[in-house]
Amino acid sequence: MDALIKTFFDKKVGDFLKVDQGNLRVDPSSGQFQLKKASIDGSAFDGLHLPVALRGGFIDELSVNLHLDVFNPGGSVSLQILIRNVFFVFGPHTTDWSWAHVKQCKSKLVDLIMQIAELKPSKKAKKSHEDSASGWLSDIQTRIKQDLMKKVAEMIEVNIANFHIRFEASKRSQKL
């Protein structure tokens, strides 16, 4: 099971995050996800033609614990996220401003955006106008959705410890 989860993880985010198999634990039955000692691969972000470039970094620990107790009377739902010791290194983007290099950088940026878009599930086709609720029924559905989203937002707990960002100077400015 662990090898299957690691393969799935590498397929989805392996271009950005590098994690050893022993440092990734997923237990769907208990709602736990834990990632330890993950390195952020800066090469995936090279040449994106942005003002700054992510050179690399690491995440010491990322834990997600989803507790669902909805089947018992008075049951609760909670989501806890713990992020510990995150370190990012940014540096300047360098280019020769030639047409070919700018085109190459922008193409890589579009490719990265498309790759991130593939991580999201596709949206379902909207129902036709005849099938959708209208009037007061639509208002009730909207209120229920808003109340549900508010309750979900209230149950999320995020704890971030030791978040570091370092900026590297360009080689040209270091010589001055």
Side-chain angles (χ1 to χ4, degrees):
M1 177 78 167
D2 287 343
L4 182 64
I5 290 170
K6 176 72 169 112
T7 303
F8 178 77
F9 181 84
D10 286 343
K11 181 180 175 187
K12 293 296 184 177
V13 295
D15 291 341
F16 314 119
L17 285 176
K18 303 296 180 198
V19 182
D20 293 335
Q21 186 163 347
N23 292 332
L24 177 66
R25 291 189 208 139
V26 179
D27 186 2
S29 63
S30 66
Q32 294 182 344
F33 169 86
Q34 185 178 45
L35 177 130
K36 288 187 173 186
K37 298 179 182 170
S39 62
I40 299 166
D41 187 4
S43 65
F45 303 97
D46 282 346
L48 294 180
H49 208 62
L50 297 172
V52 294
L54 180 62
R55 300 287 186 215
F58 69 87
I59 301 170
D60 193 34
E61 181 182 355
L62 172 68
S63 299
V64 178
N65 187 3
L66 176 62
H67 176 73
L68 295 172
D69 188 20
V70 293
F71 298 111
N72 295 323
S76 64
V77 177
S78 66
L79 176 65
Q80 296 173 327
I81 302 171
L82 171 67
I83 304 170
R84 185 174 288 144
N85 293 333
V86 177
F87 187 77
F88 291 121
V89 178
F90 290 95
H93 169 68
T94 55
T95 183
D96 61 6
W97 293 104
S98 68
W99 183 86
H101 189 253
V102 171
K103 179 183 177 202
Q104 177 187 9
C105 291
K106 292 207 179 232
S107 295
K108 188 170 181 182
L109 179 59
V110 169
D111 292 342
L112 180 65
I113 291 169
M114 293 303 294
Q115 190 172 5
I116 291 170
E118 290 175 4
L119 295 176
K120 297 179 183 178
S122 61
K123 292 184 178 181
K124 295 180 181 176
K126 292 189 176 188
K127 294 181 180 179
S128 66
H129 185 62
E130 297 86 28
D131 294 343
S132 64
S134 61
W136 65 272
L137 185 57
S138 176
D139 292 341
I140 291 172
Q141 286 179 341
T142 302
R143 286 186 190 145
I144 290 171
K145 288 177 187 176
Q146 289 172 344
D147 288 346
L148 182 62
M149 291 305 294
K150 185 177 178 181
K151 288 178 182 178
V152 167
E154 289 172 351
M155 71 175 184
I156 297 174
E157 175 185 333
V158 178
N159 182 355
I160 300 175
N162 299 327
F163 185 82
H164 304 277
I165 297 177
R166 184 178 95 200
F167 290 94
E168 294 180 338
S170 69
K171 293 177 183 172
R172 184 177 5 179
S173 64
Q174 289 176 350
K175 291 180 184 177
L176 298 178

